[in-house]
Amino acid sequence: MGASPNAGERLPALTDLPVDGFAVLADVPGARSFTPGQVRRWVLQRGASGFEDMTDLSKALRAELALRYRVRRGSPLAAHESQDGTLGLVTRLDDDRIIESVLIPEGDRRTLCISSQVGCAVACRFCASGLDGVERNLSAGEIIEQVLTAREARPGEPLTNYVFMGSGEPTHNLPAVLAAIDTMTHPDGLGIGARRITVSTVGHPDAVRRLAEVEVPFQLALSMHMPTDKGREAVMPGLGRSDVAATLEAARERFERTGRRLTIEVVVMAGVNDRDEDARAFARLLKGTPALVNLIPWNPVDGIDLAAPDATRIAALEVILQRAGLAVTVRRPRGQDVGVACGQLRRRASRAEGRG
Ligand code: SAH
């Protein structure tokens, strides 16, 4: 595999700076008091991918900046467009690892599915992302760059929603995820409304408590999958000890503080959790929790020996949960024809690159 030309250089990337952190640029020779704000707007708002784009900075200042910083850490590698309009965006990181993000248009919404790690340590039995374990955390900048790249992919169609549902477990990389959310929501950063951002997590009670302390009122989604702790530990082997009661209690406290209703995600697999009694067990568990249940029919993944549920089973589960007073939605699979549904693309792209 050929190393990219700049692989040896490891200058700090501007996308990794917190919004206020751009102030350090005032120390670069030739910088003026307004330079940090000017560069910050180029990087976060005007989509500059190199210093040469920053045409209202003097050439001398651009050269001084380029001696000390890179603008971005990764570079776009490929875009795979599905018949249904879903766009898989593959990025090469500066260590030649590969990540994906997926842009999903649906009605008036254009949702970006963001990765937080290369791979994942939780290794849910149904999921492609954890098949090779976790390789490393993404930096805040590598997370932000997924948003910048997606904005550039379809410039005429602004993104409306952002979900941390790509590869990785966000609570295993919380500092970078929270730093990225700060830049995303900051009025001088990307200016995205917090309610448009969803963090999806396997929901360790401590991690949910920590998320509940964060001021930014993003949406929280819990990957529940099974109605019992034993069932969850079997389906999510890298989870460690499950304590659903404590997790739901922490989520309830967060609801009281932020008013943000919880989403419960259930990946539905034939013969695993698609029986009436499974739905009744979920209903008992979630009774009184201000939650929306999102039923996600399992997307087949090469090499994973599970089966997608029948549509009739999904409909039956929906009815049981609704009768128990829960709000329910069913997720439609997207992007299956180009393999961008739920973590498939990165592995394929990595294999094509001779990795993984
Ligand atoms: N680690 C976090 C976020 C990434 S997964 C979490 O587990 O919540 C985002 C969602 O996609 C999770 O609910 C996950 O269970 C689901 N998912 C992963 N692989 C899937 C597949 N093959 N089919 C359907 N949903 C899947």
Side-chain angles (χ1 to χ4, degrees), residues 126-127 164-166 168-170 200-202 223 225 265 267 296-299 301 331 342:
F126 52 82
C127 179
F164 283 85
M165 295 188 187
E169 168 49 38
S200 177
T201 172
V202 296
S223 285
H225 308 319
E265 298 168 277
V267 173
I296 310 171
W298 181 67
N299 275 319
V301 175
R331 192 189 292 172
C342 293

Side-chain angles (χ1 to χ4, degrees), residues 31 34 41 145 165 181:
F34 51 79
R41 283 188 292 279
E145 288 175 30
M165 295 188 187
I181 289 177

Side-chain angles (χ1 to χ4, degrees), residues 33-256:
S33 62
F34 51 79
T35 302
Q38 205 175 11
V39 174
R40 190 194 69 235
R41 283 188 292 279
W42 270 116
V43 175
L44 298 178
Q45 291 162 9
R46 302 174 72 178
S49 58
F51 291 106
E52 65 283 1
D53 294 338
M54 304 181 189
T55 45
D56 55 0
L57 272 62
S58 74
K59 273 201 172 145
L61 177 54
R62 279 187 260 161
E64 292 289 350
L65 286 164
L67 285 174
R68 294 165 179 81
Y69 296 96
R70 294 176 290 167
V71 176
R72 297 187 185 177
R73 294 178 51 145
S75 51
L77 188 64
H80 299 272
E81 186 155 1
S82 158
Q83 300 253 316
D84 64 19
T86 303
L87 189 65
L89 296 164
V90 185
T91 294
R92 185 201 294 278
L93 303 176
D94 60 10
D95 58 3
D96 284 324
R97 288 190 162 89
I98 304 286
I99 55 162
E100 71 169 304
S101 17
V102 184
L103 201 170
I104 309 156
E106 187 159 38
D108 297 339
R109 290 159 71 108
R110 281 169 302 273
T111 302
L112 181 67
C113 181
I114 299 172
S115 293
S116 57
Q117 297 182 301
V118 185
C120 184
V122 184
C124 296
R125 278 187 44 209
F126 52 82
C127 179
S129 298
L131 285 174
D132 304 319
V134 64
E135 291 188 35
R136 72 165 170 87
N137 284 337
L138 297 184
S139 74
E142 287 167 331
I143 294 171
I144 293 298
E145 288 175 30
Q146 294 175 60
V147 180
L148 301 177
T149 302
R151 282 184 170 182
E152 288 150 18
R154 294 213 177 123
E157 302 174 19
L159 302 173
T160 60
N161 297 78
Y162 305 80
V163 297
F164 283 85
M165 295 188 187
S167 292
E169 168 49 38
T171 65
H172 290 179
N173 186 18
L174 209 46
V177 168
L178 293 180
I181 289 177
D182 201 62
T183 297
M184 288 166 75
T185 54
H186 199 296
D188 294 331
L190 304 187
I192 296 165
R195 71 184 61 224
R196 300 188 172 277
I197 300 174
T198 300
V199 176
S200 177
T201 172
V202 296
H204 289 283
D206 286 344
V208 176
R209 279 185 213 110
R210 174 77 191 81
L211 288 173
E213 288 162 9
V214 175
E215 289 293 323
V216 184
F218 52 79
Q219 314 277 357
L220 185 63
L222 272 185
S223 285
M224 191 68 70
H225 308 319
M226 303 293 280
T228 62
D229 289 319
K230 248 178 80 184
R232 294 187 82 224
E233 286 165 11
V235 166
M236 308 158 83
L239 178 67
R241 214 178 127 261
S242 171
D243 186 349
V244 168
T247 300
L248 288 176
E249 182 51 36
R252 225 169 272 134
E253 279 165 27
R254 181 173 192 271
F255 171 77
E256 272 149 34

